[in-house]
């Protein structure tokens, strides 16, 4: 990273202390948070060991906390035994058996509730069904489902028998599904006939059949949950209906007690080579991370209605729809469909009707809802909300302020969380009863997380506001254990850059005078413009701070003189500008960026579009934008996009 400092739009000076009325009832205040940090600093492994003993239900207690003899392949609590499904269900059957565990709403408005007793019974039936088909501990099971309670049931049923689940996001194509089946060597697929999304049926069974027709020789059975009821293909002897399998099964199934290091799940994330990496998470360490961060970050209370809008196909859905909230005995809300069906008030209508108290969503969704207009949340009673959260990418200050002002009524804490698929659980975040917040900063590491920023040589950077590589300096329980089937790739990708000394997150960051961290985007999203290194997040935030701009995505384009030039894709509030209006706005935005950051950061190209190319999870497909900026032929699979038709407009062909 360059030592040259370029002033960032994220150098915020607005500070929002926790409100006294929240602090009064909070799980953690500033004094208790400081005490936890001091305990972790004094005895890092002992701190995590004590939390594991007090907060996780063990069948066989562990005697050793951390085994670092094969570092960086760390092992936590490895002689202890437990079961993740038992931690999420069985231990609540007494005091919380009749409490609602999952509240569900489908895109078409259908609703269902599952109590902890009912959820436990259904998980046991599916677990017994899997066992009747020959599934056993260590087998891999692919879960390819819409965002319904049955997706969580499938995950928990696998955990109950010690099978390793790998959830594939329902928006992924048949080819993506095939790649994951073959890499895991899965014996079973649990799918649905389809799901409802944006007024359409997502044909999951058709994609499953296409994937299996072109390979996947390890798959023996496909269990199909009937969600949409549309006509589907059927392979006798291989395919069987979920309801027919379960009606024969007992609602009791003893949990398989597994070693703490036994893999709980594999979750695939994109890699720089284009080949997805199967991130492997353990049972004990992962569960501890998800459980504790739910308490610390969300100030979780027994009467909360917790809504994390993420799909279970992503790690956020694993940790904060299923394992974290359910291990704490919480009530979670699941919603199947798109946030703007039938209109832009859908999320806020759901919050009103279900009495949501904690709302956790992505900056992409926040910006889209902000673009739709303040009148939509104004139609609904959001008075039950008491805490807001942000996840998935850095949130720009303008979106943060809209969230604070319009949704939070300038009263609710916002927890801006930084973490990754690989970390398993939240690593940095405000603690709502203790941490003053700044728009755009994830503030500080949570207790027991030893973060740092280093330069190109791996030296810790102490100088304020100097950017560098974000690293984690000590192992933590919820960390990934390896890349499935490729430990060499695990070591090279996450540890190799600094000789196995640090976990390298792949993000750039800087720290301000209060010790707050500011995530500037991926290291590979840093542009080198005439010898100056610019974080794409910096330029995007500068653009979005202009009153006409709703959202922006910035990529680099090869340039004969400067090495790289800045290419910006912009969506505006209101209609898309064209002709002379567009030309005038381009000039205005370039000058605005120059004023905010410096002339070096002015975009050479600005292209307006109705939307950015986002997957159904809200992620912007930056590789696609890079190809468009370079004028390359589009070869990427665009089937996962929320609106595939936008590609032509972005490419200037519509």
């Amino acid at each position: 990273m360059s030592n040259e400092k370029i002033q960032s739009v994220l150098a915020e000076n607005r500070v929002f202390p926790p409100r006294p009325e929240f602090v009064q009832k909070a799980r953690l205040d500033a004094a208790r948070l400081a005490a936890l940090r001091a305990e972790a600093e004094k005895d890092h492994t002992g701190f995590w060991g004590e939390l594991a003993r007090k907060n996780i239900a063990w069948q066989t207690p562990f005697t050793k906390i951390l085994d670092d003899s094969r570092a960086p392949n760390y092992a936590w609590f490895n002689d202890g035994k437990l079961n993740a499904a038992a931690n999420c269900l069985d231990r609540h059957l007494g005091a919380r058996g009749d409490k609602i565990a999952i509240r569900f709403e489908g895109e078409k408005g259908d609703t269902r509730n599952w109590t902890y007793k009912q959820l436990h019974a259904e998980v046991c039936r599916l677990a017994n069904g899997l066992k009747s088909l020959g599934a056993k501990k260590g087998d891999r099971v692919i879960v390819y489902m819409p965002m319904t309670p049955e997706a969580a049931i499938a995950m928990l049923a696998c955990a109950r028998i010690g099978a390793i689940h790998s959830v594939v996001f329902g928006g992924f194509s048949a080819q993506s599904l095939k790649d994951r089946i073959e890499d895991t060597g899965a014996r079973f697929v649990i799918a649905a006939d389809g799901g409802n999304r944006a007024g359409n049926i997502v044909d999951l069974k058709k994609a499953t059949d296409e994937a299996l027709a072109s390979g996947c020789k390890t798959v023996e059975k496909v269990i199909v949950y009937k969600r949409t009821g549309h006509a589907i293909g059927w392979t006798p002897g291989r395919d069987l209906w979920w309801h027919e399998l379960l009606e024969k099964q007992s609602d009791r199934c003893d949990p398989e007690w597994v070693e703490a290091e036994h893999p709980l799940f594999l979750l695939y994330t994109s890699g720089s080579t284009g080949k997805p990496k199967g991130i492997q998470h353990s049972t004990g360490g992962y569960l501890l991370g998800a459980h504790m961060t739910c308490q610390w970050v969300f100030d979780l209370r027994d009467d909360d209605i917790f809504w994390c809008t993420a799909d279970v196909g992503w790690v956020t859905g694993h940790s904060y729809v299923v394992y974290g909230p359910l291990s704490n005995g919480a009530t979670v809300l699941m919603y199947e469909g798109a946030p703007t069906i039938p209109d832009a008030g859908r999320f806020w209508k759901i919050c009103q009707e279900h009495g949501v108290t904690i709302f956790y969503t992505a900056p992409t969704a926040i910006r889209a809802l902000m673009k739709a207009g303040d009148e939509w949340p104004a139609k609904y009673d959001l008075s039950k909300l008491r805490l807001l959260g942000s996840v998935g990418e850095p949130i720009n200050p303008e979106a943060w302020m809209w969230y604070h002002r319009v949704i939070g009524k300038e009263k609710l804490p916002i927890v801006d969380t930084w973490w990754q698929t690989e970390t398993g659980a939240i690593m940095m975040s405000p603690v709502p009863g203790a941490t003053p917040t700044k728009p755009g900063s994830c503030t500080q590491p949570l207790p027991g997380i030893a973060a740092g920023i280093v330069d190109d040589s791996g030296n810790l950077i102490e100088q304020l506001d100097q950017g560098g590589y974000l690293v984690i300096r000590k192992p933590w329980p919820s960390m990934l254990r390896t890349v499935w089937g490729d430990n060499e790739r695990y070591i090279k990708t996450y540890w190799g850059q600094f000789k196995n000394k640090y976990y390298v997150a792949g993000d750039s960051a800087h720290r301000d005078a209060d010790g707050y961290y500011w995530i500037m985007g991926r290291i590979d999203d840093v542009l080198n413009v005439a010898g100056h290194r610019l974080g794409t997040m910096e330029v995007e935030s500068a653009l979005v701070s202009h009153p006409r701009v709703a959202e922006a995505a910035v990529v680099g384009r090869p340039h004969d003189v400067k090495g790289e030039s800045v290419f910006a894709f912009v969506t505006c509030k209101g209609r898309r500008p064209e002709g002379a209006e567009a030309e005038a706005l381009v000039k205005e935005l370039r000058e605005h960026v120059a004023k905010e950051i410096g002339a070096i950061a002015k975009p050479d190209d600005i292209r307006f579009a109705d939307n950015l190319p986002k997957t159904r999870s809200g992620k912007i497909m930056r590789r696609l934008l890079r190809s468009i900026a370079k004028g390359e032929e589009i070869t990427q699979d665009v089937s996962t996009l929320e609106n595939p038709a936008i590609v032509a407009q972005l490419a200037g062909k519509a």
Side-chain angles (χ1 to χ4, degrees), residues 171-213:
F172 278 159
S173 66
Q175 182 61 48
S176 296
L177 177 62
K178 175 179 179 283
D179 291 343
R180 287 153 176 77
I181 292 171
E182 292 189 332
D183 197 64
T184 60
R187 291 181 62 199
F188 305 94
V189 175
I190 302 176
D193 53 354
N196 299 304
R197 182 75 185 186
N200 301 308
I201 289 177
V202 180
D203 201 334
L204 298 172
K205 181 58 164 60
K206 181 181 178 182
T208 304
D209 291 343
E210 289 176 5
L212 297 182

Side-chain angles (χ1 to χ4, degrees), residues 148-284:
T148 65
E150 285 73 20
I153 289 165
M155 295 163 68
L156 291 165
C158 291
R160 195 162 193 86
I161 65 172
I164 304 166
H165 64 70
S166 185
V167 182
V168 179
F169 174 54
F172 278 159
S173 66
Q175 182 61 48
S176 296
L177 177 62
K178 175 179 179 283
D179 291 343
R180 287 153 176 77
I181 292 171
E182 292 189 332
D183 197 64
T184 60
R187 291 181 62 199
F188 305 94
V189 175
I190 302 176
D193 53 354
N196 299 304
R197 182 75 185 186
N200 301 308
I201 289 177
V202 180
D203 201 334
L204 298 172
K205 181 58 164 60
K206 181 181 178 182
T208 304
D209 291 343
E210 289 176 5
L212 297 182
S214 58
C216 307
K217 303 301 183 185
T218 58
V219 173
E220 300 169 17
K221 299 289 182 182
V222 178
I223 301 169
V224 185
Y225 171 67
K226 185 180 286 189
R227 170 61 183 154
T228 55
H230 71 286
I232 57 173
W234 199 259
T235 302
R238 185 198 71 188
D239 300 346
L240 59 158
W241 286 110
W242 170 299
H243 62 276
E244 291 180 358
L245 176 65
L246 267 62
E247 67 187 8
K248 308 169 188 174
Q249 308 302 329
S250 166
D251 62 2
R252 293 180 178 273
C253 176
D254 291 336
E256 178 77 24
W257 304 110
V258 300
E259 303 80 7
E261 282 298 308
H262 179 71
L264 176 61
F265 65 86
L266 307 174
L267 190 58
Y268 283 77
T269 185
S270 59
S272 58
T273 64
K275 180 186 177 184
K277 304 184 292 288
I279 302 303
Q280 179 178 318
H281 276 291
S282 71
T283 300

